[in-house]
Amino acid sequence: MTTSGQGPSDFRYTAFDFDPTKYDAMMSSFDAVKDRVKDIPDLLNVRVVRTLENRMMVMSGYRSRDALDAATEAHGSIFADFAQYIVGEPLVRAGERVARVVGEVSNNDIKYMRFVSVVIDPTKYDAIMSYLNSGHLEKFKDVAGLSRLFITRTMEDRMLAASGYIDKASAEAATEIVQTALAGMAEHMSEPTLIRQGELVWLYQYNL
């Protein structure tokens, strides 16, 4: 089900590998840039998730596409300060939220996140959204511990689903629903699905 309402309309996702021996120093650097993050207009939240021992996913939500675009320079400047921790080049994707599910848990209580990235046949996008909105997204509302599920179209041929839960057990409880939804989309996907998940390790929330 696609829902409108308050909250971010556009998201930027930044995945990067880092030196695990510098993890504590890197996390201190996140705290050090918090004031700079607060100064970015219409940036509603930033969530940093450790998806592997040496990999992070940074999810930033903006009030509009214009706000996201206007923050690109600030985003680049902040990540330049993290170059001492990063291995290789960060992978950045951004796009419009095309679907949202709101669960029973407050978004301030998200502690665990799952990211599902798919490459699609862009000519089948409408069919994919019709399939998801035919009841498959609605099933996530029955998952105890779900806070939010956002689906973003990050490129013409790419979609990314980000779901936030109160804990890992709640995320695992949703696995069957995720796999069922992906199975129904399989004929429209051109590459294997990439799934990453992990604990939330840093948060900026505009209303906290």
Side-chain angles (χ1 to χ4, degrees), residues 29-46:
S29 293
F30 273 111
D31 290 334
V33 301
K34 202 157 196 174
D35 285 341
R36 290 165 63 188
V37 170
K38 289 179 179 178
D39 289 338
I40 298 175
D42 289 328
L43 173 61
L44 301 184
N45 49 57
V46 178

Side-chain angles (χ1 to χ4, degrees), residues 119-158:
V119 180
I120 65 169
D121 177 349
T123 67
K124 304 297 185 180
Y125 172 74
D126 289 341
I128 289 172
M129 293 307 300
S130 178
Y131 168 77
L132 292 175
N133 287 323
S134 67
H136 294 284
L137 291 182
E138 184 72 22
K139 293 177 182 177
F140 280 90
K141 292 181 69 68
D142 295 330
V143 177
L146 172 72
S147 174
R148 299 290 189 275
L149 166 62
F150 296 110
I151 298 180
T152 306
R153 191 176 188 183
T154 57
M155 298 178 69
E156 185 180 15
D157 65 344
R158 293 179 185 269

Side-chain angles (χ1 to χ4, degrees), residues 27 51 53 76 97 99 127 129 134 163 173:
M27 296 312 299
T51 58
E53 183 185 7
R97 183 191 83 199
M129 293 307 300
S134 67
S163 49

